[in-house]
Amino acid sequence: MFALRSAAIRAAPLAARPAVRPFSILGARLSGAVGHANPSSVTPGGKAGEVPTDLEQATGLERIELLAKLEGKELFDMEPLQVTHLGTPKNPIVVESHDPIRFVGCTGFPVESHDVIWINLDKSHEHDRCPECGSVFTMNFVGSEDEHHH
């Protein structure tokens, strides 16, 4: 069936063929992602005739992360979330985030009592709850409103 349809499309006149457009062009043009550069996230690049280093060619969040590592700091907290109690609305599990929206994987309490369920934490929500174990999470937003990480 597919071979017949594609043969029919190739045999059709050029004006009758469906237009094929990649999604990436439309998204980049309409998202506003272009033009919001953080000065520390832009680099002049490598010297002509030389292979650039990671730091010379990195841009955006990758460059900021590399600069932090040169200072001996970790920009992103890659450690697992320490769940020492079942989160409740009065005593939720607090998750720090640099972004206004963050995904958190809940494995239940006690730890690994259910499969990982991904919860979308939003800074505009008072708290978010795991649908499996009922544990409550809240976000402590530590980022900047001025940063545009697209």
Side-chain angles (χ1 to χ4, degrees):
M1 171 100 174
F2 178 74
L4 293 174
R5 185 182 299 173
S6 62
I9 289 174
R10 279 181 278 173
L14 190 58
R17 291 184 188 175
V20 178
R21 294 186 183 100
F23 290 115
S24 61
I25 293 173
L26 184 64
R29 191 169 32 136
L30 298 178
S31 70
V34 181
H36 298 291
N38 183 345
S40 64
S41 67
V42 180
T43 178
K47 297 175 183 71
E50 293 182 8
V51 177
T53 64
D54 287 344
L55 187 60
E56 289 174 336
Q57 67 182 356
T59 60
L61 285 176
E62 181 184 6
R63 179 171 173 78
I64 295 171
E65 182 181 15
L66 287 172
L67 290 172
K69 284 184 179 183
L70 285 175
E71 295 176 5
K73 301 176 186 173
E74 278 294 324
L75 182 66
F76 300 111
D77 182 14
M78 301 302 286
E79 295 297 317
L81 185 62
Q82 297 297 320
V83 179
T84 57
H85 64 282
L86 183 69
T88 63
K90 290 184 180 179
N91 187 16
I93 297 171
V94 180
V95 179
E96 290 191 350
S97 177
H98 289 272
D99 290 321
I101 296 173
R102 179 172 176 176
F103 289 98
V104 174
C106 179
T107 59
F109 185 80
V111 177
E112 297 187 12
S113 61
H114 64 72
D115 289 335
V116 177
I117 295 179
W118 294 97
I119 303 165
N120 185 9
L121 295 183
D122 193 321
K123 79 171 194 165
S124 63
H125 298 165
E126 182 179 350
H127 59 267
D128 294 284
R129 186 182 295 270
C130 174
E132 182 73 22
C133 66
S135 189
V136 176
F137 297 86
T138 188
M139 180 189 292
N140 179 20
F141 181 67
V142 295
S144 171
E145 294 290 338
D146 298 332
E147 294 178 5
H148 300 284
H149 301 297
H150 295 288

